[in-house]
Amino acid sequence: MEKSHFMYYNIYIIDKHCNLMNRKSNKLNSLGFLKPTKETKVLVAMSGGVDSSTVAGLMKRDGYNVLGVTLKLYDDNKPSERSRQCCAGQDILDAKRVSDKLGIEHKILYYQKNFKKEVIDTFIDSYAAGETPIPCVQCNQTVKFRDLFLYAKEKKADALVTGHYVTRVQTNGNAEMYRAKDINRDQSYFLFTTTQEQLNFLRFPLGQISKTETRKIASELKLNVADKVDSQDICFVPNGDYASVIKKFRPESFKEGNILDIKGNVIGKHEGIINFTIGQRKGIKVADKEPLYVVDINASENTIIVGKRDLLDINKIYLKDINLLGNIDKINDNLFIKIRSTGKLIKAKVNFQKSEAMVNLMESEPGISPGQACVFYTKNRIGDKVLGGGWITRAINEYLST
């Protein structure tokens, strides 16, 4: 990608859809500010991965006044070059190396206490309640977009810039969020709790390019992380073993209980409800002529309810803590939801009641669990616009509706 292509891309989007100014005007810089890049201060959230490092490189290359910030969120005693977790010890070192290479100021913010309270404790509480939590959303909502947003304001930055793959479009004084051009990399599901004030301040330079292009740019900028593997595990959950994390912080959660069929008969024993999620088949250890799946978890009774596959199909869910980006009262005919980060868009109807909502899915979706997020979208000529979302409190299947 040539420099001129990147420099004017965001301006092209604004000009094409909002008629704010001509694409070739030199008055508006590539982040949408009416001042020279050298007078525009940006705080870049640097995780130590290739995406955020590339963004820092682009901002520096294009002449912005760049401050790189890395968050230390938890104490990692086993830093490794081969780590596939984000925010690990090696990542902080990589972010520092990239900053030194680019010649930008770099700071480390020590947010371990906030992260423990807002993310890890919430994660454990959710599993102990029989839910399926999404800690990455909680992390974005709290220590990243709330706390880092405030820090950027304190530093008098003009924008907080991240390596997330989402598209931001400025319209009538407010920013709108859309799914990324590369749908396979899109991260809008994890950002549904973003407020309008935060979105106006945020910038996402990678929203219209692919991961391959990002790595190419990183190579051209000679960044040492250009070929670094992507983080896959939850940062504080080594090798995806969430049970070990819960056992470390709350060992009493591993309490033996009964496995029931849908008629309430005891058909087996389990070693703790935190070992199970809705839709799970593995680990039930109950013989039957047909495969059995977890269709419900009753935390108050410490029981797991299992049944046949068709009992997982969900057509109605209830939400709490709704966050909305814009007015969506009149778009139920063009409303879609997403239940999983890698899932498809499902047409739906939503009935709002203050900060809660009831969602009717136009096609069934299997294995939806309380604790997951439901994100709202609508389609227009620009793309798939994010409207916000909420947290699932109940998912109604055939068993739960009786």
Side-chain angles (χ1 to χ4, degrees):
M1 176 180 289
E2 296 180 358
K3 179 177 180 179
S4 59
H5 186 164
F6 177 81
M7 279 291 291
Y8 292 107
Y9 189 84
N10 287 338
I11 293 176
Y12 172 67
I13 290 290
I14 294 170
D15 178 43
K16 180 179 179 181
H17 298 294
C18 305
N19 299 314
L20 291 182
M21 68 186 318
N22 188 276
R23 177 184 182 184
K24 296 182 179 180
S25 170
N26 290 320
K27 294 182 180 179
L28 205 65
N29 65 35
S30 64
L31 296 181
F33 295 104
L34 287 166
K35 55 183 176 180
T37 57
K38 65 181 180 180
E39 297 177 12
T40 305
K41 184 174 183 179
V42 297
L43 189 152
V44 178
M46 299 181 66
S47 68
V50 63
D51 298 325
S52 60
S53 297
T54 300
V55 166
L58 288 170
M59 294 296 97
K60 174 64 176 180
R61 186 194 67 183
D62 293 341
Y64 289 97
N65 178 6
V66 183
L67 168 62
V69 173
T70 301
L71 305 181
K72 183 171 177 56
L73 300 179
Y74 67 103
D75 294 315
D76 176 34
N77 297 322
K78 297 180 180 180
S80 169
E81 292 283 352
R82 300 179 181 274
S83 173
R84 303 189 75 180
Q85 299 169 241
C86 70
C87 305
Q90 182 62 41
D91 290 325
I92 294 175
L93 180 59
D94 285 339
K96 175 63 176 173
R97 287 172 175 170
V98 168
S99 299
D100 290 343
K101 167 71 176 177
L102 297 173
I104 63 173
E105 184 181 2
H106 179 255
K107 290 185 178 295
I108 301 171
L109 302 184
Y110 296 89
Y111 282 2
Q112 294 100 312
K113 288 184 178 179
N114 284 5
F115 187 75
K116 170 66 166 55
K117 177 183 177 181
E118 304 272 16
V119 181
I120 297 179
D121 288 350
T122 300
F123 173 85
I124 295 171
D125 288 343
S126 186
Y127 260 117
E131 299 176 342
T132 303
I134 311 174
C136 293
V137 176
Q138 294 283 0
C139 184
N140 287 323
Q141 182 179 7
T142 56
V143 294
K144 288 185 179 176
F145 284 1
R146 183 196 64 196
D147 297 346
L148 191 54
F149 168 84
L150 292 175
Y151 180 78
K153 289 287 190 177
E154 290 174 5
K155 289 296 182 181
K156 301 188 183 307
D158 293 290
L160 171 58
V161 186
T162 82
H164 288 98
Y165 285 86
V166 293
T167 297
R168 178 187 179 280
V169 177
Q170 193 78 21
T171 305
N172 298 325
N174 275 330
E176 298 174 338
M177 187 190 304
Y178 287 80
R179 287 213 287 176
K181 179 180 179 181
D182 184 350
I183 295 299
N184 293 325
R185 302 298 309 183
D186 173 62
Q187 294 173 297
S188 60
Y189 178 86
F190 297 108
L191 303 183
F192 83 89
T193 59
T194 305
T195 67
Q196 187 64 62
E197 181 185 17
Q198 291 167 349
L199 186 57
N200 289 344
F201 190 64
L202 286 157
R203 297 295 188 275
F204 308 105
L206 304 185
Q208 288 292 306
I209 67 175
S210 68
K211 185 73 174 202
T212 300
E213 290 176 282
T214 298
R215 291 194 182 279
K216 181 180 178 183
I217 295 170
S219 294
E220 292 171 351
L221 294 172
K222 295 181 172 54
L223 302 182
N224 62 293
V225 296
D227 297 319
K228 186 176 180 178
V229 296
D230 292 338
S231 59
Q232 292 187 343
D233 296 329
I234 298 170
C235 62
F236 60 91
V237 182
N239 302 316
D241 185 8
Y242 65 86
S244 67
V245 175
I246 299 173
K247 196 166 188 175
K248 174 183 176 181
F249 289 102
R250 202 171 299 172
E252 69 275 11
S253 298
F254 290 80
K255 181 181 177 182
E256 185 181 88
N258 292 326
I259 298 177
L260 310 178
D261 64 17
I262 60 174
K263 295 180 180 179
N265 300 312
V266 177
I267 59 174
K269 294 286 185 180
H270 67 77
E271 296 178 350
I273 63 172
I274 61 92
N275 291 303
F276 298 90
T277 58
I278 302 296
Q280 182 172 325
R281 178 183 174 187
K282 184 179 179 181
I284 296 174
K285 299 178 182 178
V286 175
D288 195 82
K289 59 183 178 181
E290 291 186 45
L292 294 176
Y293 299 81
V294 177
V295 298
D296 192 25
I297 299 173
N298 189 327
S300 62
E301 299 292 334
N302 194 36
T303 55
I304 301 294
I305 297 88
V306 298
K308 303 298 188 293
R309 166 65 179 75
D310 57 359
L311 290 177
L312 295 175
D313 290 338
I314 302 296
N315 289 99
K316 181 184 293 185
I317 56 178
Y318 291 86
L319 312 178
K320 69 174 182 179
D321 299 336
I322 302 293
N323 178 65
L324 296 180
L325 290 168
N327 186 352
I328 65 175
D329 291 339
K330 299 180 180 180
I331 61 169
N332 256 327
D333 291 335
N334 185 28
L335 184 65
F336 299 82
I337 65 167
K338 199 176 186 184
I339 301 298
R340 299 174 178 86
S341 62
T342 57
K344 62 182 178 180
L345 294 185
I346 303 169
K347 195 165 181 58
K349 302 280 188 180
V350 182
N351 179 21
F352 292 99
Q353 294 182 347
K354 296 183 179 179
S355 64
E356 299 180 346
M358 179 183 72
V359 181
N360 288 298
L361 286 66
M362 298 297 101
E363 59 179 288
S364 62
E365 179 74 2
I368 300 175
S369 171
Q372 290 178 298
C374 173
V375 183
F376 309 137
Y377 296 83
T378 191
K379 296 177 180 289
N380 61 32
R381 61 196 179 103
I382 303 176
D384 300 328
K385 180 181 174 181
V386 182
L387 300 170
W391 296 99
I392 299 172
T393 59
R394 293 175 61 204
I396 305 303
N397 56 27
E398 185 178 333
Y399 165 72
L400 292 173
S401 65
T402 57

